[in-house]
Amino acid sequence: MLKIAESVFSIIGLSELVTGKKVQGGSKELLIQNGAKQEYADRLTFVASFREGLAKAKEEHKFLLVLLMSADHDGNELFATSIASEEFCTVAEDEYLIWAASVHTKEGYFASWSVQANNFPFLGIIYSHTSAVKLTALEGGSVSPQKLAAQLQNCMSTAGSLLISQRADRLEKDTRRRIQEEQEAALREAERIDRENSEREKAEAERLQEERDAAEQARLEAEQEAFLERQMEEDRVAKLYEEKQRSADILGEEPPEGGENIATLSIRMLDGSQVKRRFLRSDSVETIRHVVIMHDSFDGKKDFVISNSYPIKVLDPSSTIEAEKLYPRAAVIAASQSSPSPRR
């Protein structure tokens, strides 16, 4: 059993091919071209290069079978058929990676140097043992399939448990790593969900706050509008009171009944009620307006005019009662200016 230097894992290519008669093909094709049966070759796991074989054997904790042939030596066909056989496949197909090459190629020559192969055909088994890489050189050439299978089985008995343990360790590490990755992924997902929930809650809180702010703004505006309306109403009532007081001062006492120059008028107020009052024949039509202003139906919201009842005609406020032919008796109307205007 030989120990291969760690430099095997970083193969340095030669600057030129090794001269000599070549055995054609590579790996599986090499065996088939030298007489191996396709059906057996298909059951084996081949690697494309010595470098790949070393890397995969170390990574997967498997055996690497290195098969080296030389066109300058006899026994290649027997060697190929012994490897691609039922006995060999039964032992090697699950636990072994296989790389085959001619020593007349650059990589085959380097591999023969690395494994210190002197006799050809050559079969060696490389496997990782803790931090070292080990090689078991098996017999080649005229060895029978049964003996090759026995040698493989013996190698598995010697180092197989170690590789199985290493694979179990790797599986455990991979499982722990997978569980950790799943836990980290679950944590990230939970954080994402929490973040989305937080963003939704924030957006909902902002929406509710906007609604509260809008409602508060509407309330303040309604209060302001109500305040202005109350102010306007108070101003109107105060103005109406002043206007009624002024009209009362202007009217003074009603002329006595039965006196001379007295005109008796029937006034239809703005609310449709009738009021009779005596005036002097010399009083102006404006005096009649003051009676309407003093009446309870007048609220000061709308202006009005005085007209006679028939034919309807708006009376001139500056004209006298006598001039408007309301003396000695007449009926007049207080008409709101929002109603159809009486003709003048």
Side-chain angles (χ1 to χ4, degrees), residues 247-276:
S247 294
D249 293 342
I250 291 173
L251 279 174
E253 293 292 334
E254 183 178 1
E257 185 178 358
E260 296 182 359
N261 303 319
I262 299 299
T264 302
L265 302 180
S266 176
I267 309 169
R268 191 175 73 181
M269 296 298 175
L270 294 171
D271 63 351
S273 62
Q274 297 286 335
V275 173
K276 284 187 178 183

Side-chain angles (χ1 to χ4, degrees), residues 178-202:
R178 178 180 55 79
I179 293 174
Q180 182 178 358
E181 290 174 352
E182 290 175 353
Q183 291 174 340
E184 290 175 351
L187 178 60
R188 288 193 298 271
E189 179 65 13
E191 290 175 345
R192 182 189 67 79
I193 293 174
D194 289 344
R195 186 167 56 253
E196 290 180 354
N197 290 338
S198 177
E199 290 174 354
R200 278 197 299 270
E201 291 174 358
K202 181 180 178 182

Side-chain angles (χ1 to χ4, degrees), residues 88-233:
F88 189 92
C89 289
T90 300
V91 177
E93 61 182 337
D94 293 326
E95 296 293 332
Y96 288 82
L97 303 174
I98 300 174
W99 178 70
S102 167
V103 294
H104 298 286
T105 63
K106 181 195 301 186
E107 192 173 23
Y109 177 80
F110 177 72
S112 68
W113 172 81
S114 298
V115 300
Q116 303 177 19
N118 297 314
N119 297 318
F120 301 98
F122 172 86
L123 172 61
I125 300 177
I126 298 176
Y127 60 95
S128 174
H129 184 274
T130 63
S131 61
V133 178
K134 294 192 173 183
L135 166 71
T136 296
L138 304 181
E139 296 180 38
S142 60
V143 66
S144 67
Q146 293 79 9
K147 190 167 185 178
L148 275 177
Q151 289 177 317
L152 291 178
Q153 190 64 52
N154 180 61
C155 185
M156 288 182 61
S157 300
T158 303
S161 59
L162 174 63
L163 295 183
I164 292 173
S165 174
Q166 289 175 342
R167 279 202 297 271
D169 290 342
R170 180 189 173 189
L171 178 60
E172 182 180 357
K173 290 179 182 178
D174 290 345
T175 302
R176 286 199 300 266
R177 182 175 64 253
R178 178 180 55 79
I179 293 174
Q180 182 178 358
E181 290 174 352
E182 290 175 353
Q183 291 174 340
E184 290 175 351
L187 178 60
R188 288 193 298 271
E189 179 65 13
E191 290 175 345
R192 182 189 67 79
I193 293 174
D194 289 344
R195 186 167 56 253
E196 290 180 354
N197 290 338
S198 177
E199 290 174 354
R200 278 197 299 270
E201 291 174 358
K202 181 180 178 182
E204 179 65 13
E206 291 176 349
R207 184 186 67 78
L208 293 176
Q209 185 61 45
E210 288 176 358
E211 289 181 354
R212 288 192 292 268
D213 292 345
E216 179 66 14
Q217 182 65 25
R219 185 188 66 80
L220 292 175
E221 291 176 355
E223 288 183 354
Q224 180 69 16
E225 184 176 354
F227 173 78
L228 294 176
E229 289 178 354
R230 288 194 302 271
Q231 186 105 30
M232 291 174 63
E233 181 63 16

Side-chain angles (χ1 to χ4, degrees), residues 17-23 71-72 104:
L17 291 175
V18 180
T19 59
K21 184 179 180 180
K22 299 180 180 179
V23 177
D72 298 329
H104 298 286

